[in-house]
Amino acid sequence: MPLGALDDPTLLGKTLGGLKTAAAGWPAGDRAVVESYRFALWQDFLATWPTAMAADDMVEALSEFAEDLQPYLDIWSAAPCVTAARHLASFVACYVVPVHDEYGRIEAWIAGGTPLRLLDSARAATAEADLIAELDSAIARIREHLACRERR
């Protein structure tokens, strides 16, 4: 099934959650294959636009399998392409109720500046007015979020 056909985050989350439970008793090599699949799924998602599933739903589904989302954020950080930035802009627009992130990695990642750099880089790489507006909105939302954090 092509990634673009994934449109049910609940089903994906349950599938990944079930894999987490099942894989706990598997040999290390088999667990590594499942982990490689998750990372490939995430990389393919970041490289594809548009997708049927929103970025916040995808991150939530991935969190069903991995308590620590840092490896996924690292992949996102290393994907300085317009499609990854569009997913980031979508994520920022939808990130009202934080996804399950036991270690607070998403909040730290946003505060660390990488998302702003990714959005700024994508903005500089496009002349598409609608995309620039989308990226500008995400940049403004992150800056507003960071300003609110500083006031606390």
Side-chain angles (χ1 to χ4, degrees), residues 4 21 78 105 133 140 144:
T21 302
R105 302 289 195 208
E144 183 179 308

Side-chain angles (χ1 to χ4, degrees), residues 67-146:
E67 292 86 13
D68 187 357
L69 294 171
Q70 190 62 54
Y72 301 99
L73 298 175
D74 291 345
I75 290 169
W76 211 343
S77 298
C81 61
V82 172
T83 57
R86 289 190 92 157
H87 282 297
L88 178 56
S90 167
F91 180 79
V92 168
C94 296
Y95 192 67
V96 177
V97 177
V99 298
H100 176 75
D101 180 17
E102 184 175 332
Y103 298 104
R105 302 289 195 208
I106 293 172
E107 187 68 24
W109 183 66
I110 290 172
T114 297
L116 284 174
R117 285 191 297 278
L118 289 173
L119 294 166
D120 283 333
S121 175
R123 190 186 188 291
T126 188
E128 187 181 327
D130 289 345
L131 178 55
I132 290 171
E134 183 182 334
L135 297 170
D136 284 346
S137 176
I139 290 166
R141 188 169 174 129
I142 289 173
R143 288 186 175 140
E144 183 179 308
H145 175 75
L146 295 175

Side-chain angles (χ1 to χ4, degrees), residues 21-72:
T21 302
W26 294 355
D30 294 345
R31 287 193 313 271
V33 168
V34 171
E35 184 173 312
S36 293
Y37 168 76
R38 285 191 339 254
F39 291 136
L41 179 69
W42 179 235
Q43 289 168 324
D44 188 49
F45 177 81
L46 292 175
T48 304
W49 186 270
T51 55
M53 191 180 306
D56 61 316
D57 290 332
M58 186 67 164
V59 171
E60 183 68 37
L62 290 169
S63 75
E64 293 294 327
F65 193 95
E67 292 86 13
D68 187 357
L69 294 171
Q70 190 62 54
Y72 301 99

